[in-house]
Amino acid sequence: LQPHSSQLRLMTMPSSRVSTSEFYLTYCAHVTRAKNSTPIICLSWTPGGRRLLTGNSEGEFTLWDGINFSFELIMSAHDASFRAMAWSHNKNYLLTCDASGNIKYWSPSIAPVQSLDSHNQQAIHGLSFSHNDTKFVSCGDDSTIRIWDWASHSEERTLEGHGWDVKSVEWHPRSSIIASGSKDNLVKLWDPRIGTCLSTLYGHKNTVTKVNWNINGNWLLTASRDQLIKLYDIRNMKELANFKGHHKEVTSVAWHPIDQNVFCSGGMDGTLLFWNVGPTGTQEPAAKVAYAHDMAVWDLQWHPVGHMY
């Protein structure tokens, strides 16, 4: 996971804990500090989890060994601050974006492949691949969501409907549905094939910072600056649970890659909370790391096998 600093922490489960029903990784396994003090904005495990990539506010990639957490490589990637990164489902390509409206394609060896400018040179906050990797979606401060064709590197469609900056976007894991969250406090569901808004969720009272589909595709998590996390069942468009535990804005959420009922959230104050969604949902965190970081946790990601993040 990553904070609003150059410090990187790897959390893992104590070896004495063997229950497969609990994934509350409250033990800090390693603390690594980058060679400079530039804030880390986003991160991602490489395919298989052998290495960890981080992107900082100066547009630099840093590559870390995922076993002993040692520094391996630092390289310039963008001319402006990183905002997000996303791997294709087949793990053949990586997408990154920055604060100046630039999107870049990368090979698994982190070699540049293609560069695109979009969103009127305003910050791009989110990237996500379609379930079959033929398309991807981006969102940004120009209040739009844009659909891209992967093979031709061209923009196919612009989705308009949010009234302010779009802070997060994610393609459904199995269907042609896109979820987006905006500074206008709204969560919207879109059909990318025809470019229409399917539904709008009005549950939050402040900026929606993250949207995140569950692995089964039936549940959608939404996080906000109103300090709440909400869980929706999109099969009947019903709010299943309202998670209260953060005392400052929620800045990141991530579902566990194996257990479909467990997720972790990070806050502006550096707090990490773990949640277990029961039959009817729960409003109390299952575990808490009060001072995981000194400042905001802007992004977090579980290892592909789920034993650390």
Side-chain angles (χ1 to χ4, degrees), residues 204-256:
H204 290 287
K205 297 180 180 180
N206 208 325
T207 301
V208 179
T209 55
K210 296 291 180 181
V211 294
N212 193 203
W213 293 105
N214 184 275
I215 191 173
N216 62 27
N218 296 327
W219 292 350
L220 177 68
L221 274 181
T222 65
S224 172
R225 287 181 180 171
D226 62 9
Q227 305 174 13
L228 298 178
I229 303 168
K230 292 181 179 287
L231 178 65
Y232 294 92
D233 189 326
I234 66 159
R235 292 169 295 185
N236 53 22
M237 301 307 297
K238 180 182 179 181
E239 182 181 314
L240 295 181
N242 194 18
F243 300 96
K244 302 177 181 178
H246 286 284
H247 300 296
K248 287 193 175 182
E249 61 190 76
V250 186
T251 50
S252 55
V253 291
W255 287 100
H256 191 274

Side-chain angles (χ1 to χ4, degrees), residues 98-298:
D98 67 21
S100 66
N102 180 248
I103 300 172
K104 288 191 176 181
Y105 292 35
W106 304 84
S107 70
S109 61
I110 318 302
V113 176
Q114 182 75 23
S115 179
L116 305 169
D117 290 317
S118 185
H119 290 273
N120 299 318
Q121 298 183 332
Q122 298 189 54
I124 300 174
H125 293 287
L127 296 167
S128 181
F129 277 92
S130 65
H131 52 283
N132 56 10
D133 289 335
T134 59
K135 303 181 188 304
F136 70 91
V137 61
S138 63
C139 69
D141 280 353
D142 62 348
S143 305
T144 67
I145 298 158
R146 299 176 187 247
I147 311 297
W148 301 81
D149 180 77
W150 173 257
S152 64
H153 309 153
S154 61
E155 182 182 321
E156 282 193 349
R157 183 172 285 111
T158 299
L159 309 182
E160 297 179 333
H162 280 294
W164 215 337
D165 308 347
V166 186
K167 297 297 186 182
S168 182
V169 67
E170 188 164 322
W171 208 297
H172 191 277
R174 296 196 302 268
S175 303
S176 291
I177 301 174
I178 291 172
S180 63
S182 170
K183 197 173 178 179
D184 62 8
N185 309 345
L186 302 179
V187 175
K188 288 182 177 287
L189 301 179
W190 307 83
D191 185 338
R193 295 166 297 185
I194 56 177
T196 59
C197 179
L198 301 173
S199 182
T200 301
L201 306 176
Y202 297 89
H204 290 287
K205 297 180 180 180
N206 208 325
T207 301
V208 179
T209 55
K210 296 291 180 181
V211 294
N212 193 203
W213 293 105
N214 184 275
I215 191 173
N216 62 27
N218 296 327
W219 292 350
L220 177 68
L221 274 181
T222 65
S224 172
R225 287 181 180 171
D226 62 9
Q227 305 174 13
L228 298 178
I229 303 168
K230 292 181 179 287
L231 178 65
Y232 294 92
D233 189 326
I234 66 159
R235 292 169 295 185
N236 53 22
M237 301 307 297
K238 180 182 179 181
E239 182 181 314
L240 295 181
N242 194 18
F243 300 96
K244 302 177 181 178
H246 286 284
H247 300 296
K248 287 193 175 182
E249 61 190 76
V250 186
T251 50
S252 55
V253 291
W255 287 100
H256 191 274
I258 298 173
D259 193 308
Q260 297 187 19
N261 297 318
V262 173
F263 70 91
C264 179
S265 61
M268 180 62 75
D269 58 358
T271 299
L272 289 174
L273 297 180
F274 295 86
W275 308 87
N276 184 19
V277 182
T280 58
T282 177
Q283 293 190 1
E284 296 296 329
K288 179 178 181 179
V289 184
Y291 303 103
H293 289 282
D294 297 332
M295 299 181 72
V297 181
W298 291 116

